[in-house]
Amino acid sequence: MYLQYDYSSFTSQASQSVRYIMAFVFLFVIVPRLILTGYKKISFENIVSCYIRIVFFYILTGYLLVALKLYEVLAILLVLLALYIRKYVSENNIANFLELLSVVQLKILNYADGLNSPLNALKKTYSKILKGIHTLFSLITSTPQAIVNNLLLTAVVAYSAWLRFYDAMLNAAPAMSDAYVTLAWMKYIDRRILFHDEIYPQGFHIYLSFIQKFSTIDPLYVLRYTGPLNGVLIALGLYFTISGLTKNKTAGIISAFLYGVCGNFMTLEWARQASTNSQEFAFVFILPSLYFLYKYIKENKKSDLITAGIGITITGLVHTLAFMLCGIGMGVILFIVLTEKNKINRWNTGLKIIITGILSVLISMTPIGLGLLLKKRANESAANYLASTANDILSPTLITSDYIALFAISVIFLFVLFNLFKWNKLSMEKFILLFSISTFTLHYMGGPITKSIMVSSRSGELWAIVSAASIGTGFYILTRIFKHAKNSSLIISLAGFAAVAFVVFSINPQHIAPYKMEWNSTVEQYLSISKNFRPTNWTIVSSQYESYDLALGKGYHNYVDSLLEKIDPEKDPKDSFGIDYGEDIFIYYEKVIFQLPQSNHIYDLLEEDYERRKLEREQLEQWIADYKKNNDNMTVYYEDEVLKVYHIKIKMDEEEKNKRIWGSGRV
């Protein structure tokens, strides 16, 4: 009797999520501290900057190692070790390799002699951590305003996470159809295959693969957890950007709350927030990158320009739509520079921004060049979508959140208008104002003007982010009325708290429930099979295309129509199945064909496939009956009200196993 897999059980989720968190912390917290320079001080700004830079590094490293067929954990660790040594040499003024060897030798001898005990090093690290926690606690509880803001931010982030992770924790089936493509491309990266389905930005899939390699959990869990996490990170990015621009944490919290908690009531495809797509991953970097670019024009720090350029380039390496919004933001900031700065600094700063934009475009296009070198073509589906047009595109119907955002934009506009004499001191307000107007124009008029289906269908996603930012900024400007009042900061924080509480109790946001493509039990059986049976020694036979993406890299998958056509149920299974199916064959018989509701927007695309599966189910039922009459090696592996899984065990001798592994097995 084989142990069945319960995806949503506490032990399953705890074991997988802990390993995911540990890998994430190692890759995006510990490694940046070890290899990146200039980040000795721990601050939210430095954490965001480190994250942007390390993600960029991983994407470029992934491209290089996959292209060279060297993409393994050991190769990645060697690269990280080399960068750590480089940083150590630089910080300790080590002149040459021999001096470095002497330093390493001395440290080893000191450890061997007990002069430098590993236990003492751990105690010192533990002491630093405790000191950091104490300092952090002192900061977040320093004033009543700080306490209110930090409690509110924690509540917003936690609520945002619950809304997004709820589905990922309870349902094994991936959310939405695109998730299976993402899953397959992540697995192809792990197998050192670039552009398996022709040229398409692979940045996000490399990112996913890095997490999977260091967590060693099933890629399905990486897929299920990363999508919701990206949604939370977008909300945090809104908080980081707006609180940084306005110097008002409450304004940032309002923006994060609107996107993180009230997304269902904004111009946003809410279901995508619980799915895992490259678009949402690219969105994580838009506002923080533009924040660093804005910070550069105000403080003229080269490191801010580099971080901004890297973040913008990430969006280009991941998703065109996000890259386009970054381009709009850069254009707005360039306009501000050219209309504010004195003659010398104006053109110097503007030129650097232009060069940064050009470099971002060039680096973002390198995967295309790499793909062409590999004799690949552009992904046909993506290319067709980018180029698709329609003549009957209308402007979208505005909803309540749009009107609130337009009111906030009006507030910002009036503030700028009445303070024109302070033109050079209104950079932040002008940036949000022009950026918001540009994005709203793209959302409202972009489709009808360009006739582009992509602009029409996806610009609302961009507007959702920017509208949340404009509302937060509008809130900040309105509350400036009270800036001279006694305890004004606390009053503003309490007002923000009250506004958030009122909205939550009024609309009662519910967790996201994205559509699925299959039953949870079909996915759980894949997890059970991959856990109970040796990798690449089993095959799942089903009528669903999605099962191929699940089995990829773990075992094999064949379709029911192939089984019906090629496998004679009356013959000896060793002769009919051969060695390609492996020793363990699992046939999925759907008692109830999984179907989306007819109201779903992709139902029409799948209706023909549903009819095919119903016909194949009838034929499969007869095939199973005939097989049972002639063979005695078929048992029921699993059964519930919608699915029955049959297990065929084929015994192979050593020669057959060796052929499968080394000779005529499948590729």
Side-chain angles (χ1 to χ4, degrees):
M1 187 67 182
Y2 296 105
L3 182 66
Q4 287 300 321
Y5 200 91
D6 184 359
Y7 174 88
S8 61
S9 69
F10 175 79
T11 52
S12 170
Q13 289 297 325
S15 63
Q16 304 301 315
S17 59
V18 165
R19 288 158 67 184
Y20 181 95
I21 291 168
M22 289 175 66
F24 192 90
V25 170
F26 173 75
L27 288 169
F28 303 108
V29 179
I30 296 175
V31 169
R33 296 281 296 174
L34 294 175
I35 69 172
L36 298 181
T37 58
Y39 293 103
K40 290 183 179 180
K41 181 183 176 183
I42 297 178
S43 66
F44 194 15
E45 193 171 285
N46 280 349
I47 290 171
V48 174
S49 179
C50 278
Y51 183 71
I52 290 172
R53 293 188 180 211
I54 202 67
V55 167
F56 180 68
F57 166 73
Y58 289 148
I59 290 174
L60 291 189
T61 302
Y63 267 118
L64 179 63
L65 293 179
V66 172
L68 295 174
K69 304 298 182 184
L70 295 173
Y71 185 64
E72 296 291 348
V73 171
L74 180 59
I76 296 169
L77 290 175
L78 286 173
V79 172
L80 296 179
L81 178 62
L83 291 175
Y84 172 73
I85 292 172
R86 178 179 175 275
K87 179 186 175 184
Y88 183 85
V89 168
S90 175
E91 289 182 347
N92 291 275
N93 298 316
I94 297 175
N96 52 53
F97 183 69
L98 290 176
E99 186 178 344
L100 175 63
L101 286 180
S102 299
V103 171
V104 173
Q105 184 181 22
L106 181 61
K107 283 186 174 292
I108 293 172
L109 291 173
N110 285 340
Y111 274 112
D113 294 337
L115 297 176
N116 291 334
S117 168
L119 185 61
N120 289 336
L122 287 173
K123 285 181 178 179
K124 191 178 290 186
T125 303
Y126 178 70
S127 178
K128 285 182 179 179
I129 293 173
L130 284 181
K131 186 179 179 181
I133 292 172
H134 181 267
T135 303
L136 178 63
F137 183 78
S138 299
L139 286 172
I140 63 177
T141 59
S142 57
T143 64
Q145 178 201 3
I147 293 172
V148 172
N149 279 334
N150 287 303
L151 283 175
L152 186 56
L153 177 61
T154 302
V156 167
V157 172
Y159 205 166
S160 300
W162 177 77
L163 292 172
R164 288 162 173 77
F165 277 96
Y166 183 90
D167 182 74
M169 293 292 181
L170 290 185
N171 295 305
M176 305 181 70
S177 57
D178 289 350
Y180 291 91
V181 177
T182 304
L183 179 64
W185 287 359
M186 179 207 330
K187 292 183 176 183
Y188 286 130
I189 291 294
D190 190 60
R191 300 177 75 183
R192 300 176 294 282
I193 301 172
L194 266 179
F195 310 121
H196 179 274
D197 298 309
E198 307 303 343
I199 300 172
Y200 187 90
Q202 298 289 293
F204 180 45
H205 312 97
I206 291 171
Y207 173 91
L208 290 170
S209 181
F210 262 76
I211 296 175
Q212 194 281 322
K213 275 192 176 296
F214 284 88
S215 64
T216 68
I217 60 178
D218 192 283
L220 175 70
Y221 284 97
V222 176
L223 180 85
R224 296 297 278 130
Y225 294 157
T226 305
L229 177 62
N230 287 337
V232 176
L233 291 179
I234 296 171
L236 269 174
L238 270 161
Y239 165 75
F240 168 76
T241 302
I242 299 306
S243 62
L245 291 174
T246 63
K247 309 301 180 188
N248 185 290
K249 290 186 177 181
T250 309
I253 293 170
I254 293 291
S255 295
F257 167 73
L258 289 169
Y259 190 91
V261 177
C262 305
N264 196 33
F265 301 90
M266 303 187 73
T267 312
L268 178 67
E269 285 192 47
W270 189 228
R272 292 181 67 93
Q273 293 286 300
S275 184
T276 305
N277 298 290
S278 56
Q279 174 181 286
E280 281 64 38
F281 177 66
F283 286 176
V284 171
F285 301 92
I286 296 173
L287 290 185
S289 300
L290 294 177
Y291 166 80
F292 282 107
L293 188 61
Y294 173 85
K295 187 167 176 279
Y296 167 70
I297 70 170
K298 303 307 292 183
E299 300 180 10
N300 201 33
K301 289 183 180 177
K302 184 180 177 182
S303 60
D304 291 330
L305 180 62
I306 292 172
T307 300
I310 288 173
I312 291 166
T313 305
I314 289 174
T315 64
L317 290 168
V318 174
H319 202 276
T320 306
L321 192 68
F323 195 47
M324 179 176 66
L325 187 60
C326 282
I328 293 172
M330 289 186 78
V332 170
I333 290 175
L334 182 61
F335 171 79
I336 292 171
V337 168
L338 297 179
T339 57
E340 276 189 12
K341 292 241 174 204
N342 63 60
K343 191 172 182 180
I344 298 174
N345 288 335
R346 178 176 61 193
W347 295 109
N348 185 35
T349 304
L351 181 61
K352 288 180 180 178
I353 292 174
I354 292 170
I355 292 172
T356 299
I358 293 172
L359 288 174
S360 295
V361 171
L362 292 175
I363 297 172
S364 299
M365 291 178 66
T366 51
I368 298 176
L370 181 59
L372 293 174
L373 284 175
L374 296 172
K375 298 182 179 179
K376 301 285 186 176
R377 296 177 299 173
N379 181 272
E380 187 176 353
S381 177
N384 289 340
Y385 184 62
L386 280 172
S388 59
T389 58
N391 292 320
D392 58 347
I393 295 177
L394 301 175
S395 296
T397 302
L398 299 184
I399 59 178
T400 303
S401 63
D402 295 327
Y403 288 112
I404 295 173
L406 291 173
F407 172 75
I409 292 171
S410 301
V411 169
I412 302 169
F413 173 75
L414 290 173
F415 181 82
V416 173
L417 185 64
F418 287 121
N419 291 274
L420 278 176
F421 60 92
K422 298 179 181 177
W423 179 261
N424 285 352
K425 295 182 179 180
L426 299 174
S427 301
M428 182 276 292
E429 291 83 358
K430 288 184 293 184
F431 169 61
I432 296 296
L433 176 64
L434 296 175
F435 190 43
S436 299
I437 291 174
S438 301
T439 310
F440 176 74
T441 303
L442 176 69
H443 167 57
Y444 192 71
M445 300 177 64
I449 291 174
T450 65
K451 306 299 181 184
S452 168
I453 292 175
M454 185 199 76
V455 172
S456 175
S457 61
R458 294 294 178 86
S459 57
E461 302 290 298
L462 304 178
W463 169 237
I465 298 174
V466 179
S467 63
S470 64
I471 294 171
T473 307
F475 172 86
Y476 160 72
I477 288 176
L478 285 174
T479 55
R480 289 181 69 174
I481 299 169
F482 307 103
K483 67 179 181 179
H484 297 302
K486 187 178 180 181
N487 296 321
S488 60
S489 297
L490 179 59
I491 292 171
I492 292 170
S493 297
L494 290 173
F497 193 96
V500 168
F502 174 77
V503 172
V504 167
F505 285 110
S506 298
I507 66 177
N508 189 26
Q510 297 298 310
H511 63 82
I512 306 171
Y515 72 83
K516 308 294 192 300
M517 299 296 290
E518 58 184 322
W519 301 112
N520 281 329
S521 54
T522 61
V523 180
E524 286 186 324
Q525 289 319 297
Y526 149 72
L527 291 169
S528 174
I529 292 165
S530 65
K531 184 176 182 180
N532 289 324
F533 296 88
R534 288 186 300 166
T536 69
N537 204 39
W538 52 265
T539 297
I540 289 175
V541 180
S542 77
S543 61
Q544 287 197 256
Y545 300 127
E546 291 79 15
S547 296
Y548 169 82
D549 301 320
L550 287 171
L552 179 65
K554 292 280 188 175
Y556 294 101
H557 176 263
N558 268 318
Y559 295 106
V560 166
D561 62 345
S562 177
L563 177 82
L564 297 173
E565 181 184 345
K566 298 178 180 179
I567 307 301
D568 189 340
E570 297 182 0
K571 287 186 177 180
D572 186 313
K574 288 184 71 173
D575 296 330
S576 57
F577 282 104
I579 62 173
D580 284 350
Y581 279 77
E583 290 186 289
D584 296 287
I585 303 163
F586 299 89
I587 300 173
Y588 281 19
Y589 174 77
E590 283 187 280
K591 296 179 180 179
V592 181
I593 299 295
F594 181 90
Q595 290 187 203
L596 288 170
Q598 292 186 7
S599 58
N600 190 283
H601 67 285
I602 65 169
Y603 178 84
D604 291 342
L605 300 174
L606 299 172
E607 187 174 12
E608 185 178 333
D609 188 57
Y610 293 148
E611 294 303 317
R612 172 189 64 81
R613 285 163 56 190
K614 287 177 184 177
L615 179 62
E616 287 181 358
R617 179 182 62 181
E618 295 174 5
Q619 296 172 336
L620 179 61
E621 188 174 11
Q622 183 60 50
W623 187 95
I624 291 170
D626 292 342
Y627 188 91
K628 284 181 176 179
K629 285 180 184 177
N630 295 280
N631 300 280
D632 60 358
N633 64 336
M634 176 183 279
T635 58
V636 176
Y637 179 76
Y638 172 83
E639 184 174 9
D640 61 21
E641 61 275 8
V642 297
L643 178 70
K644 194 171 187 177
V645 180
Y646 292 96
H647 179 204
I648 297 176
K649 183 73 175 181
I650 298 178
K651 294 181 180 179
M652 293 184 180
D653 57 34
E654 289 303 314
E655 183 180 351
E656 290 169 324
K657 289 180 182 178
N658 288 333
K659 278 184 181 180
R660 176 174 170 78
I661 296 172
W662 304 109
S664 58
R666 289 165 299 181
V667 178

